[in-house]
Amino acid sequence: MWTDSTVTLHWIQSDANKWTTFISNRVSQIQSLVPRAEWRHVRSADNPADLASRGASGDQLVNDHLWWHGPSWLSEKDKWPDFNSKTTTASDATEELKHLPTITVSLLSNIDPIGQDLLMKCSNYERLNRIAAYIYRFCYNCKTPRRLSGHITMPEYKQGVLFWIRIAQLSVFSDEMKRIKSSKPVATNSVLALS
């Protein structure tokens, strides 16, 4: 099998599970349909499919040797170009790697009842942020005549993240926050105290 995309070649010759969902699904499908295929690279200049994708007319293709016969070296295996995707740096391929967030979890004992209930029912961090974002959207829609709908936007998602950060801060630093709100200095034994 031949491809002129070094990125695609890199994806196909590696574990499908390490890529984002869309790429992972395509790679898995290719790997299951042609499990023992030997994948090789063809330069764009030698790829007949590129002629049509670059706007060659039907009249031009009728008389084009590359279009009808492929590159001259294709019929002689000993003249096939050498290419090893494992030694090639495919920086574009890494853009599709799964980005797994690193999350530090702490047991928060004195969270308000709504936050505690959500934390107990939802074990997925991203879903938790989306729920909080929808709660913010609901509150916004109750206050204004211009209603928001559809998928959560990035600013709304960030509000959801900030909601959980505030919940954690209130839970862990409640005494410090009370002191700061009443214009008192933070206790000297607090981790927030300046040394």
Side-chain angles (χ1 to χ4, degrees):
M1 305 288 266
W2 296 86
T3 178
D4 65 351
S5 169
T6 57
V7 173
T8 302
L9 198 55
H10 185 80
W11 290 338
I12 292 170
Q13 293 181 336
S14 62
D15 179 25
N17 293 320
K18 72 188 222 179
W19 308 112
T20 58
T21 304
F22 180 82
I23 301 300
S24 177
N25 289 341
R26 304 293 85 67
V27 169
S28 293
Q29 187 177 26
I30 290 168
Q31 289 173 344
S32 66
L33 289 172
V34 283
R36 289 181 287 283
E38 181 183 338
W39 286 92
R40 300 182 70 80
H41 181 258
V42 59
R43 294 179 321 123
S44 289
D46 292 337
N47 184 0
D50 272 5
L51 296 171
S53 65
R54 291 195 179 129
S57 68
D59 291 337
Q60 291 170 319
L61 293 178
V62 167
N63 298 318
D64 193 289
H65 182 79
L66 180 63
W67 178 257
W68 291 103
H69 303 285
S72 58
W73 48 260
L74 187 61
S75 59
E76 301 174 51
K77 192 170 184 173
D78 60 320
K79 292 187 179 177
W80 284 5
D82 287 327
F83 178 81
N84 183 353
S85 72
K86 298 193 185 336
T87 61
T88 301
T89 305
S91 60
D92 291 339
T94 58
E95 288 180 13
E96 295 298 333
L97 280 172
K98 283 183 185 174
H99 297 287
L100 301 174
T102 304
I103 301 168
T104 304
V105 178
S106 159
L107 182 60
L108 306 175
S109 57
N110 56 344
I111 297 175
D112 64 79
I114 294 172
Q116 184 72 44
D117 191 45
L118 283 173
L119 280 174
M120 297 308 284
K121 289 183 178 177
C122 185
S123 62
N124 182 301
Y125 177 73
E126 299 225 358
R127 186 177 302 139
L128 206 55
N129 291 332
R130 283 195 312 275
I131 290 169
Y134 275 114
I135 291 169
Y136 272 101
R137 178 182 284 180
F138 175 78
C139 294
Y140 175 86
N141 285 342
C142 289
K143 293 177 188 175
T144 61
R146 196 184 113 234
R147 305 277 171 160
L148 298 174
S149 61
H151 295 292
I152 290 293
T153 63
M154 188 52 74
E156 289 175 312
Y157 183 84
K158 287 179 181 176
Q159 274 189 311
V161 172
L162 290 175
F163 170 78
W164 291 110
I165 290 172
R166 281 198 264 346
I167 291 287
Q169 288 173 338
L170 281 169
S171 175
V172 176
F173 302 113
S174 59
D175 292 336
E176 288 87 343
M177 293 178 87
K178 285 177 192 171
R179 293 182 70 84
I180 291 169
K181 283 181 183 176
S182 63
S183 299
K184 294 179 182 174
V186 175
T188 54
N189 62 348
S190 169
V191 293
L192 298 181
L194 298 174
S195 304

